[in-house]
Amino acid sequence: MDNRLKEINLRLSEYSIGNFDNNIKISPKLDEVDAISSGINMLGEELKSITISRDYFNNIFNSVSDMVFILNPRGIITDANKSAKEQLRYDHDSLIGKKINELINDPPSFFTNMVGQLKKNGPYTKSESMIYSRKKEAIPVKIGVSYLTNEKKDNPILLTASDITFQINTENLIIRAIIDTQEKERQRLAKDFHDSLIQQLSAIKFYISSTSYLSRSQKLKTILNNSNEALSEVINEMRNTCFNLMPKTLHEFGLVKAVREFCNHSIYHRKTNFIIEQSNKLPEFSSEIKIDLYRVIQEFINNAINHGEASEIKISFYFNKKILKVKLLDNGKGFESKQIGKGMGLQNVKSRVKSHNGTLDIISNIGKGTCYKIGIPLNL
Ligand SMILES: Nc1ncnc2c1ncn2[C@@H]1O[C@H](COP(=O)(O)OP(=O)(O)O)[C@@H](O)[C@H]1O
Ligand SMILES: [Mg+2]
């Protein structure tokens, strides 16, 4: 065989194992064999640059700490990087071929929404969701999605997910610190009012009663008795304020009793029918959770009555699968979801629930009442 043909053979077999460093020498003949040789040299250059880009991509793909998935247009995982396999505790074969919806399904239409957004707006990031590991542990993640290439048809999708557990924990710690400071201050105020002001006012009330009793002037008696009545009202008001600032029942007898007391006490009591249900025995939980749920329920009742003009409010507690669930339901006017961001009340409700890694669903329909569903995981 012509030596040049042998060399072509040799080069092609080197290409097949990824070696593109040597070129075929072109002879002075410049005949057909040389033309083929020069074509093969060009192919070598091309393959070399493709291999470099592929290695470049693979190195980035496997060295980033974010989880990276390649999906086909039907949402099936065709590749996943080292971080994804490690963080989700899957081996390669059990992750490839899975639907991304099996890992991320919040909301269940996650993949369809994502593709819709990509088609409409180009690169798209869904701020936060949960991704589930092989052992069904939920990891909070920030998700980024884009097409892998500029192809129009059957373009694979690149999905990155970065674990934001640490960020969320830090945010929760900050929210907790703010809420705890507020609650401590309320507790201090309630204690001060109760232990000093109310005691002192009660003492004054006693002096006025005694003076009235001893007085011979009817006119003076009337004035003193009127003062005493006014003072009783002030004392009552102050007791209510103390109760709203920090109900003692909450710490002494627990959340459900404190809520019952609030509903009986509440100025709305006469206009609104309260139904309070507890399906099963609730376990003990932290005083932070007690206070937060109590404040959330107070806010709901205020909203249901002031905005919804509800005539019936139902509050149910139950405990299931380590989650404390509270369902708040009113038969009021309902509202549109765009109202949610407008007030401080619901923002505070969200922060309080979030600070315990809880879930909050607000369902409301005009004319059909409002429901807040709260779930707080208890680390028992
Ligand atoms: N239970 C409810 N019934 C009717 N409307 C509600 C209810 N809860 C919330 N809303 C609506 O959501 C808005 C935001 O509530 P919120 O954040 O508590 O703010 P605020 O009470 O200060 O207006 C309210 O202004 C109201 O329009
Ligand atoms: Mg409100």
Side-chain angles (χ1 to χ4, degrees):
M1 206 198 315
D2 185 334
N3 268 347
R4 291 181 302 161
L5 289 182
K6 270 194 198 151
E7 192 169 352
I8 289 175
N9 237 340
L10 183 67
R11 281 301 144 251
L12 286 175
S13 56
E14 282 196 344
Y15 287 178
S16 71
I17 55 166
N19 187 358
F20 308 106
D21 289 339
N22 299 315
N23 276 345
I24 308 172
K25 287 203 182 60
I26 307 295
S27 78
K29 290 188 207 160
L30 293 177
D31 59 9
E32 285 106 333
V33 177
D34 284 314
I36 294 173
S37 300
S38 113
I40 288 175
N41 282 343
M42 271 154 63
L43 176 70
E45 289 299 319
E46 197 65 22
L47 286 173
K48 189 174 177 182
S49 67
I50 291 173
T51 308
I52 290 173
S53 337
R54 189 198 61 199
D55 291 349
Y56 190 70
F57 176 79
N58 277 345
N59 285 340
I60 296 175
F61 187 64
N62 280 317
S63 62
V64 288
S65 59
D66 286 359
M67 296 174 245
V68 186
F69 301 87
I70 313 283
L71 314 175
N72 74 10
R74 276 163 287 122
I76 292 173
I77 301 172
T78 57
D79 204 356
N81 71 347
K82 207 163 147 240
S83 294
K85 290 172 222 160
E86 280 175 6
Q87 292 180 52
L88 301 179
R89 297 165 204 272
Y90 274 103
D91 57 46
H92 184 82
D93 290 346
S94 44
L95 192 55
I96 308 309
K98 254 191 188 318
K99 282 192 170 159
I100 192 70
N101 269 358
E102 291 178 48
L103 306 180
I104 308 169
N105 62 358
D106 171 28
S109 52
F110 166 76
F111 183 71
T112 328
N113 291 353
M114 188 181 90
V115 174
Q117 290 274 359
L118 261 181
K119 283 192 178 139
K120 231 174 43 199
N121 311 333
Y124 155 65
T125 301
K126 183 184 184 288
S127 55
E128 278 176 32
S129 188
M130 290 285 179
I131 192 164
Y132 290 88
S133 73
R134 199 167 62 85
K135 292 190 172 156
K136 300 283 169 251
E137 296 145 330
I139 305 170
V141 281
K142 191 166 190 165
I143 295 175
V145 187
S146 61
Y147 281 120
L148 191 61
T149 64
N150 294 328
E151 293 292 317
K152 287 275 174 294
K153 215 171 151 266
D154 290 342
N155 194 348
I157 293 164
L158 182 74
L159 183 146
T160 58
S162 46
D163 183 344
I164 49 169
T165 311
F166 180 74
Q167 183 189 330
I168 288 189
N169 286 347
T170 314
E171 277 169 18
N172 286 351
L173 280 178
I174 296 171
I175 296 172
R176 270 262 56 86
I178 296 171
I179 295 174
D180 288 348
T181 317
Q182 258 177 14
E183 293 294 350
K184 270 205 190 103
E185 192 56 13
R186 285 180 178 164
Q187 197 159 11
R188 192 186 64 79
L189 266 175
K191 194 169 182 306
D192 281 359
F193 276 174
H194 185 267
D195 296 352
S196 63
L197 275 178
I198 296 182
Q199 306 300 340
Q200 284 167 15
L201 288 174
S202 303
I204 296 170
K205 200 167 164 280
F206 173 76
Y207 294 135
I208 294 178
S209 303
S210 319
T211 318
S212 155
Y213 178 72
L214 296 174
S215 163
R216 295 217 181 105
S217 147
Q218 194 51 46
K219 225 173 171 182
L220 193 61
K221 260 188 196 306
T222 315
I223 294 172
L224 288 173
N225 288 345
N226 286 348
S227 314
N228 234 351
E229 265 171 36
L231 208 49
S232 292
E233 272 174 34
V234 172
I235 292 175
N236 258 344
E237 281 285 308
M238 290 204 65
R239 286 221 164 91
N240 277 338
T241 308
C242 281
F243 180 83
N244 285 334
L245 280 170
M246 185 58 64
K248 266 189 163 175
T249 325
L250 190 57
H251 297 294
E252 286 172 12
F253 300 104
L255 177 66
V256 181
K257 280 234 164 72
V259 169
R260 278 188 203 284
E261 200 174 322
F262 177 76
C263 296
N264 285 332
H265 230 92
S266 142
I267 46 164
Y268 312 120
H269 178 53
R270 267 166 250 122
K271 283 188 274 170
T272 314
N273 186 26
F274 289 96
I275 303 168
I276 299 167
E277 285 179 348
Q278 182 185 345
S279 339
N280 53 3
K281 193 173 180 311
L282 308 184
E284 263 303 308
F285 44 91
S286 71
S287 59
E288 284 87 359
I289 296 182
K290 275 185 205 162
I291 294 179
D292 284 332
L293 286 175
Y294 183 79
R295 299 288 180 220
V296 166
I297 295 170
Q298 272 183 321
E299 179 62 34
F300 176 76
I301 295 176
N302 285 333
N303 282 349
I305 290 167
N306 294 330
H307 302 302
E309 295 174 17
S311 60
E312 187 167 288
I313 293 178
K314 193 168 160 186
I315 302 169
S316 347
F317 299 91
Y318 86 104
F319 178 67
N320 186 22
K321 293 186 182 158
K322 294 192 174 178
I323 298 189
L324 174 62
K325 299 193 174 179
V326 184
K327 188 171 155 194
L328 309 169
L329 191 70
D330 73 38
N331 67 348
K333 288 184 191 166
F335 65 101
E336 284 177 25
S337 54
K338 63 176 184 232
Q339 299 288 334
I340 288 180
K342 293 199 171 155
M344 279 299 291
L346 285 178
Q347 298 296 346
N348 288 339
V349 165
K350 273 190 188 167
S351 306
R352 286 188 190 260
V353 172
K354 189 173 168 237
S355 76
H356 300 288
N357 291 323
T359 53
L360 169 72
D361 288 313
I362 299 179
I363 308 142
S364 191
N365 287 307
I366 300 286
K368 293 195 180 143
T370 300
C371 178
Y372 299 0
K373 280 185 187 169
I374 300 145
I376 306 278
L378 298 182
N379 302 321
L380 301 171

